[in-house]
Amino acid sequence: MIQTIESIQALNTSVGSPQRWLVSCDESGVGGETHYGFGALWMKEQRRGDFVREVLRIRNAHKYHYECKWQKVNNHRYLDFYRELVDFFFKKEWLAFHCVLIRKGLVDKHFHGGDYDLARRKHFTGFLVSKIKDCINANCGKENTFRIWVDKIASRYGKSDEAVGIIAERILNLELGKGNRIEAVTTRDSKEVPSIQLCDLLLGAAIQAWNKTSESDVKAKLQAHIASYLGWPNLCLLYTSDAADE
């Protein structure tokens, strides 16, 4: 079973000229956890400068000078920084986040050449295609193009980012007609890209709630803060002890 957790924010569908989207992606749970997943932070290309300036303002206000990522959410000193970053995300209607979480034990490797590496790349490609189609359908009648940034994909295939872009574009052409929708899928260093860092933070919070691999009080408080925006009691709303035993 594939569980999907999305922010309640919809993509901006205002009428206007052709739209260029910047989609910043990350993956998590590839180190042997029960679930792995992929996340994507969306904004229109012209909002990129606004995003960087606002993140820098929050960083300076809290004197936070490190890479922002879920694994670093351990120090009570910086909890307010992470909370304000989450506040910023939910209060900006021009930002959206989507993620898909996959329970590894339910992945049938026979459909993927006996290879989890290939399965993960297929799942990531399918995730992107699904969300791009949703965006195109929500902005029907407009030209939409997509620039996709990814943190380094955990794969032994050195050109996995290039392969994702080519395959995703071919699927979109088959299902929606020919077009040049995906400008590029480019690997970027997350240390230098604030949008990938925020994606890492939101995805990490979601997937760790399902993997239950942390006892950090700081992480638990930040997960609760995110869940409060969604109106959920926690970030694994569908989780029950009975389901875990099945």
Side-chain angles (χ1 to χ4, degrees), residues 129-142:
V129 167
S130 175
K131 294 306 174 185
I132 288 173
K133 285 169 57 180
D134 287 347
C135 181
I136 291 172
N137 291 332
N139 293 274
C140 188
K142 304 174 189 176

Side-chain angles (χ1 to χ4, degrees), residues 5 9 13 18 58 86 134 141 152 174 187 203-204 207 220-221 236:
I5 300 176
Q9 296 170 289
T13 57
I58 297 171
V86 168
D134 287 347
K152 183 174 176 57
L174 284 172
T187 297
L203 175 61
I207 199 164
K221 288 179 178 178
C236 52

Side-chain angles (χ1 to χ4, degrees), residues 188-199:
R188 300 290 303 272
D189 186 346
S190 62
K191 294 183 179 65
E192 301 174 356
V193 184
S195 53
I196 293 180
Q197 292 179 33
L198 181 53
C199 180

Side-chain angles (χ1 to χ4, degrees), residues 96-151:
F97 173 76
H98 307 276
C99 72
V100 60
L101 309 184
I102 301 103
R103 184 175 173 183
K104 187 175 180 181
L106 297 182
V107 175
D108 189 341
K109 292 194 296 182
H110 290 94
F111 292 106
H112 311 289
D115 188 359
Y116 277 124
D117 186 317
L118 179 58
R120 288 198 308 270
R121 283 186 276 130
K122 285 183 179 180
H123 288 145
F124 179 45
T125 304
F127 167 63
L128 283 178
V129 167
S130 175
K131 294 306 174 185
I132 288 173
K133 285 169 57 180
D134 287 347
C135 181
I136 291 172
N137 291 332
N139 293 274
C140 188
K142 304 174 189 176
E143 180 183 350
N144 295 272
T145 58
F146 305 85
R147 178 181 297 181
I148 301 167
W149 290 348
V150 299
D151 198 9

Side-chain angles (χ1 to χ4, degrees), residues 12 23 33 50 53 60 82 86-87 96 120 177 179 216 237 245:
N12 189 321
V23 187
E33 293 88 344
D50 297 332
R53 281 190 293 271
N60 290 338
Y82 283 107
V86 168
D87 294 340
R120 288 198 308 270
S216 167
L237 186 61
D245 295 335

